Amino acid sequence: MIIGSHVSFGKEQLLGSVKEAISYGANTFMFYTGAPQNTIRKDINEELTLEAKKLMMENNIDIENVICHAPYIVNLANNLDERKYDFSITFLKNEIARCESIGIKYIVLHPGSSVGIERTTALNNIIFALNKIITKDTKVVVLLETMAGKGTELGCKLEEIKYLLDGINESDKIGVCLDTCHLNDAGYNMGEFESFIELFEKTIGLEKIKCIHVNDSKNPFSSHKDRHANIGFGTLGFDTIINIIYNEKLRSIPKILETPYIGENDEDKERIYPPYKFEIVMLKDKKFNANLLNDIRDFYKNN
Ligand code: FE
Ligand code: FE
Ligand code: ZN
């Protein structure tokens, strides 16, 4: 199984990301090339990239499976503020160039939010923007993430994703990233994953799936909320998630955990711990650990 989590891209850039992924026992990872909520970006350091690639080779991490995530603030759907819209286009273009310079093949993108304009118009704005960004020479594949439908988010229905895909000229440079929490919140029953796969195959085609975000959900089915829960501690539950990630048809697809850090809701936020090392063990062993949260605290407090 190709499994990892989102990791940070800090001072050591990709090298730091690789080290973090290895510490979780992962064989892939997902990163933002800077803070996800802002657009301040440092230049890619080639030496660090080379060192990172060497470390990846030594640890059997195939760069083809490594995923980049575009920042949330990029919104290609709304063009009421033309300057913001143009900025989003330019920014995403640059982000893709950064991926190309590192050698990353996939970038995940939230399609966008319509905020105050009609949904179809908003979808057409996304298509227009993506056709400006993705050209014949683009080497990166943009993956549209299935969204929960929070607020005016687009891409919470497979029909919308299909509409977007159909509008892109360079059709082999566009794909889909499933997010299990978002799908649950959007009203797709993850407990009946075979039916979902059939529906996806009929609507879009399974070959378009290039990445899966593996998250449990803090909210009920069809709640349109988007709050991730730790694996086995949410609405989907452990068995449902196992059933999804071991689906034979999705075997070669990278699975990325984006579950919350432990202690995020504690008063003392200084002490938050990543759950990924322990969640990956659970998923590999197919054995739920009801004591997961305490085990993680104990591990990181003592290490
Ligand atoms: Fe996302
Ligand atoms: Fe996600
Ligand atoms: Zn989410």
Side-chain angles (χ1 to χ4, degrees):
M1 179 154 51
I2 303 157
I3 188 160
S5 69
H6 81 91
V7 296
S8 55
F9 186 87
K11 274 204 302 286
E12 284 195 309
Q13 299 193 342
L14 194 68
L15 181 61
S17 306
V18 178
K19 285 179 183 170
E20 189 180 339
I22 292 168
S23 81
Y24 300 150
N27 55 6
T28 187
F29 58 91
M30 180 176 81
F31 68 97
Y32 295 83
T33 71
Q37 69 278 16
N38 71 41
T39 54
I40 301 159
R41 294 292 180 268
K42 271 204 177 138
D43 286 342
I44 299 294
N45 178 322
E46 270 179 49
E47 247 164 78
L48 288 174
T49 304
L50 277 175
E51 241 184 283
K53 284 182 178 169
K54 196 173 146 244
L55 192 58
M56 285 164 76
M57 288 240 286
E58 288 164 5
N59 286 275
N60 286 319
I61 299 176
D62 186 345
I63 196 157
E64 293 253 315
N65 295 325
V66 173
I67 313 282
C68 178
H69 197 308
Y72 319 135
I73 43 138
V74 167
N75 186 7
L76 303 177
N78 189 292
N79 62 350
L80 287 181
D81 183 336
E82 216 173 305
R83 256 190 36 233
K84 265 196 199 158
Y85 183 62
D86 288 342
F87 176 78
S88 282
I89 292 174
T90 311
F91 185 80
L92 190 57
K93 243 188 195 159
N94 287 335
E95 204 74 341
I96 285 174
R98 287 162 71 84
C99 286
E100 286 172 345
S101 81
I102 301 175
I104 299 297
K105 199 170 156 197
Y106 297 111
I107 185 164
V108 171
L109 174 74
H110 294 179
S113 294
S114 58
V115 273
I117 59 174
E118 199 256 321
R119 253 182 124 77
T120 311
T121 312
L123 289 169
N124 289 333
N125 285 339
I126 299 171
I127 292 171
F128 178 81
L130 285 176
N131 279 329
K132 281 195 130 182
I133 294 162
I134 307 169
T135 68
K136 263 205 197 72
D137 304 318
T138 306
K139 289 183 194 74
V140 171
V141 180
V142 176
L143 306 181
L144 301 173
E145 182 165 351
T146 60
M147 302 308 290
K150 188 171 142 191
T152 62
E153 253 172 17
L154 300 150
C156 55
K157 291 201 169 63
L158 294 188
E159 291 76 12
E160 285 181 346
I161 299 277
K162 162 77 174 159
Y163 183 84
L164 293 170
L165 293 173
D166 283 348
I168 307 305
N169 300 329
E170 298 291 323
S171 57
D172 53 337
K173 311 268 172 64
I174 191 99
V176 178
C177 171
L178 301 179
D179 184 310
T180 56
C181 165
H182 298 173
L183 286 168
N184 169 77
D185 292 14
Y188 293 99
N189 188 352
M190 293 292 97
E192 282 165 33
F193 196 63
E194 264 317 316
S195 322
F196 173 77
I197 282 291
E198 265 172 49
L199 179 69
F200 194 97
E201 171 68 357
K202 240 186 13 214
T203 320
I204 292 171
L206 291 181
E207 72 285 354
K208 281 289 176 194
I209 302 174
K210 304 293 185 196
C211 177
I212 303 177
H213 288 170
V214 181
N215 303 307
D216 214 325
S217 172
K218 283 191 175 149
N219 287 291
F221 178 68
S222 206
S223 56
H224 303 288
K225 282 282 202 314
D226 188 4
R227 282 189 71 213
H228 303 183
N230 290 105
I231 302 299
F233 291 84
T235 308
L236 277 72
F238 191 71
D239 294 343
T240 291
I241 290 173
I242 287 291
N243 186 45
I244 295 170
I245 65 169
Y246 283 95
N247 187 296
E248 200 42 48
K249 289 173 182 146
L250 306 174
R251 217 162 66 101
S252 60
I253 310 298
K255 322 274 187 321
I256 304 288
L257 297 160
E258 303 175 299
T259 47
Y261 274 44
I262 309 306
E264 263 184 358
N265 297 321
D266 292 4
E267 259 172 51
D268 176 15
K269 282 207 182 149
E270 297 286 297
R271 288 170 167 265
I272 56 167
Y273 309 112
Y276 309 118
K277 179 184 166 71
F278 287 77
E279 286 180 330
I280 288 172
V281 167
M282 273 200 320
L283 294 172
K284 280 185 179 165
D285 293 351
K286 302 187 189 181
K287 218 175 141 241
F288 181 58
N289 172 7
N291 203 36
L292 182 85
L293 308 190
N294 286 325
D295 285 355
I296 294 169
R297 277 177 215 270
D298 290 347
F299 177 82
Y300 284 104
K301 270 181 191 162
N302 299 322
N303 279 283

